[in-house]
């Protein structure tokens, strides 16, 4: 139980770090490199994917058990 | 929503909690999906009307509000994880921090970016209050429509969080039964996902007109 709890908290931290890095990357790509809209949308979709998977737990929709 | 609620089907038979939970999840995700069309329409309007241009906005303010929302999502996830493992104190604190950060985001958009009080402040070479008005042509119209619709969802999310927090204080949630918390978390993260697309569309894509 304690291990599961630690793993769940760790996943939250890892997800947050990934999102922070991608946010800084998209800011830098726009301000310093004037990146195209395609690049910006690729980064946005990556961020959205990480949130939907790790924060919104979309996979629970197909699971049989409860929480 | 709470642990004491029992659901019955049309024939009066008790519906097992797991079955009800699956239906609830599907219903909430369908609601989120229906809202995609609303936000997608606003995004399409932005690219149709602005093209490869954008108004001059404070990059620091945009990045700051985005970061605040990102951190709030982290604490919402922490709160949900906490109740799932019976850590009530972290759960309640996580919800309060999320609501506080959500309020900061709301203030950042409405008070600072919209500048509803007409304030001016330049600090560290940064203009902390926006100058765009809703009447400033397509730039103003689209910007206020997108941020306004998003801010409305943030506001309703904060109310949702505070209701869940109040119910949490009364002990309505347990590690086995906390659909109310899960629903609130999904909604809040959804609001974050919308901003993930709105932020680059408003602040980063295109050149300043």
């Amino acid at each position: 139980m304690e291990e599961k709890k630690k793993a769940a908290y760790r996943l939250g931290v890892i997800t947050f770090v990934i999102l922070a890095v991608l946010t800084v990357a998209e800011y830098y790509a726009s301000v310093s490199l004037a990146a195209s809209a395609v690049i910006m949308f690729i980064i946005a979709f990556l961020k959205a994917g990480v949130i939907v998977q790790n924060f919104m737990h979309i996979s629970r929709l197909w699971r049989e058990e409860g929480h | 929503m709470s642990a004491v609620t029992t659901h019955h089907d049309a024939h009066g038979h008790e519906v097992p909690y797991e079955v009800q939970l699956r239906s609830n999840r599907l219903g909430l995700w369908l609601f989120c999906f229906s809202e995609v069309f609303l936000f997608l329409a606003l995004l399409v309007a932005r690219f149709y009307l602005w093209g490869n241009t954008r108004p001059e906005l404070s990059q620091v303010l945009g990045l700051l509000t985005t970061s605040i929302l990102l951190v709030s999502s982290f604490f919402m996830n922490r709160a949900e994880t906490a109740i799932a493992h019976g850590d009530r104190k972290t759960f309640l604190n996580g919800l309060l921090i999320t609501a506080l950060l959500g309020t900061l985001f709301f203030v950042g958009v409405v008070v600072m970016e919209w500048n509803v009080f007409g304030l001016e402040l330049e600090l560290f070479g940064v203009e902390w209050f926006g100058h765009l008005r809703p009447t400033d042509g397509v730039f103003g119209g689209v910007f206020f429509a997108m941020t306004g619709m998003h801010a409305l969802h943030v506001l309703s999310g904060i109310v949702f969080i505070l209701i869940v927090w109040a119910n949490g204080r009364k002990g309505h949630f347990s590690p086995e039964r906390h659909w109310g918390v899960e629903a609130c978390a999904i909604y809040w993260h959804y609001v974050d996902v919308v901003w993930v697309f709105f932020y680059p569309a408003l602040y980063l894509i295109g050149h300043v007109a």
Side-chain angles (χ1 to χ4, degrees):
Chain A
M1 184 67 179
E2 200 59 32
E3 274 306 306
K4 268 189 169 179
K5 185 176 160 184
K6 277 183 185 171
Y9 280 133
R10 201 180 307 124
L11 181 65
V13 173
I14 290 167
T15 305
F16 172 73
V17 171
I18 292 170
L19 291 171
V21 169
L22 286 173
T23 303
V24 171
E26 77 176 341
Y27 178 80
Y28 179 76
S30 170
V31 174
S32 300
L33 306 174
S36 69
V38 176
I39 302 283
M40 304 310 289
F41 266 105
I42 289 172
I43 296 174
F45 272 107
L46 280 173
K47 286 172 72 178
V50 169
I51 294 171
V52 168
Q53 177 62 37
N54 293 348
F55 279 173
M56 295 172 81
H57 311 290
I58 194 170
S59 55
R60 283 179 186 166
L61 271 176
W62 299 278
R63 261 186 8 200
E64 286 297 326
E65 69 266 34
H67 285 289
Chain B
M1 214 178 247
S2 73
V4 292
T5 307
T6 306
H7 296 276
H8 296 84
D9 64 13
H11 306 289
H13 301 128
E14 195 174 314
V15 178
Y17 178 73
E18 288 72 21
V19 176
Q20 186 61 46
L21 187 62
R22 282 171 64 87
S23 301
N24 289 350
R25 277 180 183 149
L26 186 61
L28 184 59
W29 275 96
L30 284 174
F31 165 75
C32 290
F33 186 65
S34 72
E35 288 242 300
V36 166
F37 294 95
L38 169 73
F39 292 115
L40 200 59
L42 288 167
L43 265 179
V44 170
R46 178 261 178 253
F47 283 99
Y48 182 75
L49 294 170
W50 291 8
N52 200 32
T53 61
R54 60 181 159 89
E56 192 173 1
L57 298 165
S58 168
Q59 288 294 331
V60 173
L61 199 52
L63 186 64
L64 189 69
T65 49
T66 302
S67 304
I68 288 170
L69 203 60
L70 188 66
V71 176
S72 80
S73 255
F74 167 75
F75 278 102
M76 175 51 91
N77 176 257
R78 200 170 168 79
E80 190 193 357
T81 305
I83 194 63
H85 293 88
D87 187 352
R88 198 163 162 272
K89 193 183 168 195
T90 307
F91 158 62
L92 291 173
N93 287 341
L95 282 183
L96 272 189
I97 294 169
T98 307
L100 180 71
L101 291 168
T103 307
L104 276 178
F105 175 87
F106 188 79
V107 167
V109 171
V110 175
V111 176
M112 298 177 81
E113 194 62 88
W114 288 9
N115 199 3
V116 288
F117 301 117
L119 303 170
E120 277 185 40
L121 175 67
E122 194 173 330
L123 205 64
F124 309 115
V126 177
E127 274 190 58
W128 291 95
F129 293 97
H131 50 78
L132 197 65
R133 304 262 74 88
T135 49
D136 289 344
V138 288
F139 283 135
V142 170
F143 181 79
F144 276 79
M146 288 175 75
T147 53
M149 188 54 73
H150 184 263
L152 189 67
H153 282 75
V154 169
L155 195 62
S156 57
I158 293 167
V159 172
F160 196 172
I161 290 167
L162 292 177
I163 291 170
V164 170
W165 177 77
N167 284 338
R169 279 193 74 194
K170 292 175 192 164
H172 284 201
F173 305 113
S174 68
E176 294 78 26
R177 294 190 176 206
H178 54 270
W179 162 245
V181 182
E182 189 184 327
C184 184
I186 290 173
Y187 183 76
W188 190 256
H189 296 310
Y190 179 71
V191 171
D192 193 16
V193 167
V194 171
W195 191 252
V196 159
F197 290 97
F198 275 20
Y199 168 60
L202 294 170
Y203 289 86
L204 303 177
I205 293 173
H207 53 83
V208 177

